[in-house]
Amino acid sequence: MRVLVTGGAGFIGSQVVAALAARGHEPVVYDVLADPASDVRSPGAVRGALSGVDAVCHQAAMVGLGVGFADAAEYVSRNDLGTAVLLTAMADAGVRRLVLAGSMVVYGEGRYECPRHAVVRPGPRAVADLTAGRFEPRCPRCGAELSPGLVGEDAPVDPRNVYATTKLAQEHLAAAWARAVDGSAVSLRYHNVYGPGMPRDTPYAGVASFFRSALARGEAPRVYEDGRQRRDFVHVRDVAAANVAALEATARRGALTAYNTGSGEPRTVGEMARALAAAYGGPEPAVTGEYRLGDVRHITADSARLRAELGWRAEVGFVEGMREFARAGMRQGVPG
């Protein structure tokens, strides 16, 4: 299979390219890092890149929370306009298979249970609560403490920052394209991806990159809130394998199918920071009590659908992955 990989020179995309090649496919890299003319917002360049292509693996995106709402227009341009241009070119070229780099951020907060009201969805956390160190969401009906759990793909979506909003819009665009052209679209809703080749020293990255960058500078990783936020840290090679599995699976035409893509091992941010610092041999993490507006408290998802339907499972364990990541090189950070 000849597969166009947008963002194929980036952190995740380069691993997807390697995984495809290892399976005997022909990956084609389309990335501004490799060629400044390879922008998914350029209709002519995209049309040319699609020649002879059987499928597209769309990894190109501006990621992370960035530096604030001032980045909104750039996020929408890179992520949503870029996806619309790509899908239009695919429709014209007769390419009918798409795997999209989705994200768990589309859910907003994860799944919570109240002892009195069962499953509830707390609203966005208030600035006053965050400033006072009250980080845990409360039941919106009775104010009781909540128990976090795993969120499934059928849960309501509730994006809570600009990046999350653009990732959901990408899914809606892909679904509309699939219906219009009878195409096959899969969104892999990545959890917190980490591993060799992460960008360093950039606000456009994940928490694992922030911590590893600090350690490389000889500084203590700075952990926001109280460090008890629950996340699912999934290794980049496992994410690449999920992309290959989705591309090789029997196509489901005319709709978009979403799959949570996580390790299945929920960990706290503080736990990850300590494990990484210990493996690196660097300073102990500093829990700051600071916060970023737009961050959610807990988000861990159930990847059972991906395992059952595509036969994929995470292979790299948390301890093993953090030890490797502590020793691995990083790349110079770029905005997207």
Side-chain angles (χ1 to χ4, degrees):
M1 189 189 311
R2 182 176 170 88
V3 182
L4 182 70
V5 184
T6 70
F11 165 48
I12 297 175
S14 60
Q15 294 282 352
V16 173
V17 167
L20 284 167
R23 292 282 296 175
H25 299 293
E26 181 185 356
V28 178
V29 174
Y30 186 87
D31 196 314
V32 290
L33 294 176
D35 178 1
S38 297
D39 192 317
V40 289
R41 296 169 292 185
S42 174
V46 173
R47 283 196 297 269
L50 287 169
S51 178
V53 163
D54 302 300
V56 172
C57 190
H58 185 27
Q59 304 294 317
M62 187 173 182
V63 300
L65 282 182
V67 295
F69 198 82
D71 285 330
E74 191 69 10
Y75 272 106
V76 172
S77 176
R78 288 174 181 257
N79 295 355
D80 299 338
L81 174 61
T83 298
V85 170
L86 173 65
L87 293 171
T88 300
M90 290 174 63
D92 292 342
V95 180
R96 298 292 184 262
R97 195 176 188 99
L98 171 73
V99 174
L100 171 69
S103 176
M104 53 80 186
V105 295
V106 301
Y107 297 118
E109 287 285 354
R111 185 179 189 273
Y112 293 88
E113 288 196 23
C114 170
R116 290 182 58 192
H117 298 107
V119 177
V120 296
R121 291 191 62 79
R125 295 183 293 171
V127 171
D129 286 337
L130 294 170
T131 303
R134 295 188 294 269
F135 302 122
E136 293 290 346
R138 295 281 181 152
C139 176
R141 298 175 62 183
C142 69
E145 292 185 6
L146 300 174
S147 298
L150 301 180
V151 62
E153 290 91 347
D154 297 327
V157 291
D158 185 16
R160 302 216 172 161
N161 55 58
V162 171
Y163 170 62
T165 301
T166 65
K167 296 307 290 184
L168 181 57
Q170 284 185 310
E171 289 194 358
H172 288 321
L173 287 166
W177 166 84
R179 288 192 297 270
V181 304
D182 194 32
S184 167
V186 168
S187 178
L188 297 174
R189 291 176 174 170
Y190 300 162
H191 277 259
N192 291 71
V193 186
Y194 74 96
M198 282 197 90
R200 63 170 292 175
D201 297 322
T202 170
Y204 302 94
V207 66
S209 173
F210 298 161
F211 293 165
R212 180 64 173 77
S213 296
L215 290 165
R217 297 191 300 267
E219 301 171 2
R222 293 178 60 81
V223 180
Y224 286 166
E225 302 184 20
D226 58 4
R228 296 175 184 170
Q229 312 93 299
R230 286 162 51 96
R231 297 291 188 270
D232 184 323
F233 298 98
V234 59
H235 196 278
V236 66
R237 286 196 300 274
D238 286 330
V239 168
N243 277 271
V244 175
L247 286 162
E248 293 180 341
T250 301
R252 184 176 298 170
R253 307 296 288 267
L256 178 137
T257 304
Y259 293 103
N260 292 329
T261 308
S263 70
E265 294 184 70
R267 303 276 179 165
T268 68
V269 172
E271 184 179 6
M272 188 274 284
R274 291 189 296 272
L276 186 58
Y280 190 86
E284 282 286 311
V287 178
T288 68
E290 298 171 1
Y291 64 88
R292 297 189 304 174
L293 201 60
D295 271 345
V296 297
R297 179 61 174 174
H298 305 294
I299 176 64
T300 55
D302 187 352
S303 299
R305 177 185 292 178
L306 181 58
R307 294 193 298 268
E309 295 188 8
L310 300 189
W312 170 93
R313 66 178 54 252
E315 300 291 341
V316 182
F318 178 78
V319 174
E320 171 194 353
M322 288 298 156
R323 285 175 179 165
E324 179 197 26
F325 184 42
R327 298 189 299 268
M330 301 181 76
R331 66 178 67 203
Q332 185 61 43
V334 292

